[in-house]
Amino acid sequence: LRKLRLRDDLSEAEERVLRASASHENEVPAGRTIIKAGIPLNQCTLLVEGMVARYKDLADGQRQIMELHVAGDFLDLHSFPLKQLEHDVGTLTPSRLVFVPHDALKRITEDQPHLTRLLWFSTLLDAAIQRERILSVGRRTAIARIAHLMCELYIRLDVVGLAGDMRFQLPITQIDLADTCGLTSVHVNRMLKQLRNEGLMTFRGGEVLIHDWEKLQDVAEFSPAFLHLDRQPR
Amino acid sequence: LRKLRLRDDLSEAEERVLRASASHENEVPAGRTIIKAGIPLNQCTLLVEGMVARYKDLADGQRQIMELHVAGDFLDLHSFPLKQLEHDVGTLTPSRLVFVPHDALKRITEDQPHLTRLLWFSTLLDAAIQRERILSVGRRTAIARIAHLMCELYIRLDVVGLAGDMRFQLPITQIDLADTCGLTSVHVNRMLKQLRNEGLMTFRGGEVLIHDWEKLQDVAEFSPAFLHLDRQPR
DNA sequence: CGTCTAATTGAACGAGATCAAGACAAGTGG
DNA sequence: CCACTTGTCTTGATCTCGTTCAATTAGACG
C-alpha cells in the first residue's frame, strides 16, 4: 500500500476493497519455486516479507533473473490479464505471501476504475524496472551493473521503509546477484571486491553498506527516473 | 485489432469504442524520435505501419533497444498509467501513427472493464517480450540472440499478417539489430554470415528468409510461449 | 558522379568466462 | 562433541567470445 500511496492518492474505500480481496496467507522457505511457467493461475501473489525472483533457465542450466522483488511487490499481478506466466518465480529467502483471487481482481476492474489503473500502474512499474535491466545486461560494464542494481534496491527498499541511512539487508548469494546481472559469480565476487576497495560500497553477511552514494550512482550511471516515483493522479 | 482478437473475443461494441477513441493520424519519416523520456504525455500512439523501437542511450553513446515494434502495436500504452515514459521511442522506418487521447482511455477504464483488461493485457505482452530480451542479452550467445529475435519477429509479424512462407520484410540496419541484441554491428555482421553459411537464414536487402525453421529455433532455444498466443477469456 | 551511410572483412585486444583449488561457515547425523 | 557434508566465498591461471580499430566495398540518393 505504501508503494502505491507514494504514486497517487488511495481512498479509504479503495484500501478497504484491496484488503478485503486478500485471501489466505502463507509462509515459504528459501529456494522454493512458488510459480511455474505455463501453469494456469487463478490468483495473484503479494510478497509481504522476504525476497523473491522472477527468472528463466536455459537448457544448459544458466539462469537469468528478470527482477528481484521486495516486500510490498505483487509477484505475478501480470498473471491476471495473462492468465499464466511465461517464467518461474521463486524465493531467495524465507518469505511470507498473501494471495488475491483473480475473481476479486476482476470485480475490481468492474467496480473500481481508479484502483484498476493503480494496479495496472504497478504491473508497468515492473516493466520499467525490467527495461532498465535490459539496458544493464545489454550495455553496462560488470561493475556498473552491480552498482546500478544496488542503487535500484536502495531506493525501492527505502520506499517501503526497509532501507535508509545508506544501508539495507540483502540476504541473497553472490550467485543470485550474478544471475540478476548476467554475469558469473566469480566475476561478481571480483567486482564486489573492487567496489569495496574503491570505497563505494560493501556487501557482506547479507547486508549492503553504501559508503559513497554519489560515486556509486556515477559508476552505475543511475537515475531513479525509471522508478516513476512522482505522485500523480492516475 | 487482429492482435487482440487472437487472444480473446472482441465484441462489435468494443471495437466501435476503440475505433472512436482514435483521433488524428500522422506520418513520420525514418530515424525520428517520436516520444522523449520524461515528457508528460496526454495521448497514446498506435503504430499502423512501419517499424519503431523503444530504446535508452548511455552517456558514452551506446544504445540499447528494449523492443522492436511492428504494425498493430501500441508504442506507449504504458504512458497511460505511467503518465510519462522513462525511455525514448523512435522510428526505424517511415511509419504511420494513430493517436488515442488519455481521456478516451480513461473513459474506457470507467465504462468498459473487459476492453480495459485487453488493453492491460497488451501492455503486459510488451513486458513479456522485454523479459525474453533480458534472457537473450543476459545469457544467450551472440548467434542465439539473433536467431531468437528472428523467430520472435516471424511469429509476431505473422500474427498481423505481415509474415508467412518463411519470409518477412525487416527494413532495419545491422546497427539496429546490434542495438537490440546488445552486440556490436561488426559482430552481428559476422553472425549473420554464419547463419547464412550454415543454411539457417538470410538477412539481406531488408528481407529475412528462413531456410531452416527447426534448426533456427534450436540454435535460439526458441519457444513461442512468451508471446501468450493462447485464446482465452480475459 | 560525389557524398553519406551501411555492409564487410582482417588483425589485435580485452572484459568476462572457465577451470581449479582452498578457505570458511552452517548444518547434520552418529 | 566431532567428523562429514554441502554450499558459498575467494583467489589465481588461462582461455575465448565479442570488441575495438582500421580499411575496403557496396548502395542509395540528390
Side-chain angles (χ1 to χ4, degrees):
Chain A
L1 285 175
R2 191 158 167 179
K3 183 179 145 193
L4 290 180
R5 243 195 292 266
L6 178 73
R7 274 81 173 202
D8 190 8
D9 290 318
L10 192 70
S11 75
E12 273 191 38
E14 286 172 335
E15 181 172 337
R16 224 174 308 121
V17 169
L18 208 51
R19 286 186 188 279
S21 303
S23 70
H24 56 299
E25 198 172 317
N26 204 352
E27 304 236 357
V28 181
R32 195 67 64 84
T33 304
I34 52 182
I35 301 159
K36 283 295 277 181
I39 308 290
L41 300 171
N42 52 29
Q43 61 179 11
C44 288
T45 313
L46 181 67
L47 179 61
V48 178
E49 197 185 316
M51 193 150 238
V52 165
R54 305 170 172 236
Y55 58 87
K56 296 195 197 192
D57 294 316
L58 287 179
D60 65 357
Q62 287 191 94
R63 166 166 299 186
Q64 178 64 47
I65 291 177
M66 275 79 200
E67 187 180 357
L68 291 177
H69 281 293
V70 304
D73 286 356
F74 261 109
L75 302 179
D76 60 347
L77 190 48
H78 291 240
S79 77
F80 171 54
L82 293 177
K83 300 304 167 203
Q84 61 189 43
L85 293 185
E86 81 291 345
H87 59 271
D88 295 342
V89 179
T91 53
L92 300 179
T93 71
S95 303
R96 278 197 307 136
L97 309 172
V98 165
F99 300 95
V100 181
H102 282 185
D103 291 345
L105 291 169
K106 188 166 181 183
R107 231 168 300 123
I108 289 177
T109 63
E110 312 275 345
D111 307 335
Q112 304 273 345
H114 178 251
L115 187 52
T116 302
R117 291 195 296 272
L118 286 188
L119 292 175
W120 190 351
F121 168 86
S122 152
T123 60
L124 298 190
L125 185 54
D126 285 325
I129 290 169
Q130 288 162 19
R131 278 193 291 273
E132 193 68 31
R133 187 131 311 284
I134 297 178
L135 179 60
S136 274
V137 294
R139 293 302 191 193
R140 277 192 248 261
T141 62
I143 199 161
R145 290 182 209 184
I146 296 170
H148 194 279
L149 181 63
M150 294 305 171
C151 292
E152 172 193 325
L153 288 173
Y154 182 73
I155 301 278
R156 286 175 59 199
L157 286 167
D158 188 37
V159 165
V160 290
L162 293 175
D165 204 20
M166 289 300 131
R167 60 166 62 198
F168 59 91
Q169 297 299 314
L170 186 66
I172 68 175
T173 67
Q174 293 183 7
I175 298 169
D176 299 328
L177 215 48
D179 289 340
T180 309
C181 294
L183 299 167
T184 59
S185 63
V186 174
H187 202 56
V188 164
N189 184 280
R190 290 192 231 272
M191 293 300 103
L192 285 172
K193 185 180 179 183
Q194 194 179 327
L195 286 166
R196 209 181 316 127
N197 290 343
E198 292 180 1
L200 298 187
M201 56 154 284
T202 306
F203 172 45
R204 186 157 277 177
E207 189 178 33
V208 173
L209 303 175
I210 298 175
H211 305 124
D212 193 330
W213 177 240
E214 288 303 323
K215 268 196 211 153
L216 192 66
Q217 283 180 299
D218 285 350
V219 167
E221 215 168 295
F222 179 83
S223 153
F226 74 98
L227 293 173
H228 294 273
L229 296 166
D230 54 306
R231 192 184 174 74
Q232 290 213 24
R234 302 193 192 259
Chain B
L1 284 175
R2 191 157 166 178
K3 184 178 145 192
L4 290 180
R5 244 194 294 264
L6 177 72
R7 273 85 172 200
D8 190 10
D9 290 318
L10 192 69
S11 76
E12 273 192 38
E14 286 173 333
E15 181 172 337
R16 223 175 309 119
V17 169
L18 208 50
R19 286 187 187 279
S21 302
S23 72
H24 57 297
E25 198 171 316
N26 204 351
E27 304 235 358
V28 181
R32 193 69 62 88
T33 304
I34 52 182
I35 302 160
K36 283 294 277 180
I39 307 290
L41 300 171
N42 52 30
Q43 61 179 12
C44 288
T45 313
L46 181 66
L47 179 61
V48 178
E49 197 185 317
M51 192 150 240
V52 166
R54 308 170 170 236
Y55 59 88
K56 297 194 197 193
D57 294 316
L58 288 179
D60 64 358
Q62 287 190 93
R63 167 166 299 186
Q64 178 65 47
I65 291 176
M66 275 79 201
E67 188 180 357
L68 291 176
H69 281 293
V70 305
D73 287 356
F74 261 109
L75 303 178
D76 60 347
L77 190 48
H78 291 241
S79 77
F80 171 54
L82 293 177
K83 299 305 167 201
Q84 61 189 43
L85 294 183
E86 80 292 346
H87 59 271
D88 295 343
V89 178
T91 53
L92 300 179
T93 71
S95 303
R96 278 198 307 136
L97 309 172
V98 164
F99 300 95
V100 180
H102 282 185
D103 290 345
L105 291 169
K106 188 167 180 182
R107 232 169 299 124
I108 289 177
T109 64
E110 312 275 345
D111 307 335
Q112 305 274 344
H114 178 251
L115 187 52
T116 301
R117 292 195 295 272
L118 285 187
L119 292 175
W120 190 351
F121 169 85
S122 151
T123 60
L124 298 190
L125 185 54
D126 284 324
I129 291 168
Q130 289 162 19
R131 278 193 290 272
E132 193 68 31
R133 187 130 311 283
I134 297 178
L135 178 60
S136 275
V137 294
R139 294 303 190 193
R140 277 193 247 262
T141 62
I143 200 161
R145 291 182 209 183
I146 296 171
H148 193 280
L149 181 63
M150 294 305 171
C151 293
E152 171 193 326
L153 287 174
Y154 182 73
I155 302 277
R156 286 175 59 199
L157 286 166
D158 188 37
V159 166
V160 291
L162 293 176
D165 205 20
M166 289 299 132
R167 59 166 63 198
F168 59 91
Q169 297 299 313
L170 185 65
I172 67 176
T173 67
Q174 293 183 4
I175 298 168
D176 299 328
L177 216 49
D179 289 341
T180 309
C181 295
L183 299 166
T184 58
S185 63
V186 172
H187 202 55
V188 164
N189 184 281
R190 290 192 232 272
M191 293 300 103
L192 285 172
K193 185 179 179 182
Q194 194 179 326
L195 286 166
R196 207 182 316 129
N197 289 343
E198 293 180 0
L200 299 187
M201 56 152 285
T202 306
F203 172 46
R204 187 159 277 177
E207 190 179 31
V208 172
L209 302 176
I210 298 173
H211 306 125
D212 193 331
W213 177 240
E214 288 303 324
K215 269 197 211 151
L216 191 66
Q217 284 181 298
D218 286 350
V219 167
E221 214 168 297
F222 179 84
S223 154
F226 74 99
L227 293 172
H228 293 275
L229 295 165
D230 54 308
R231 190 184 175 75
Q232 291 213 23
R234 304 193 189 258

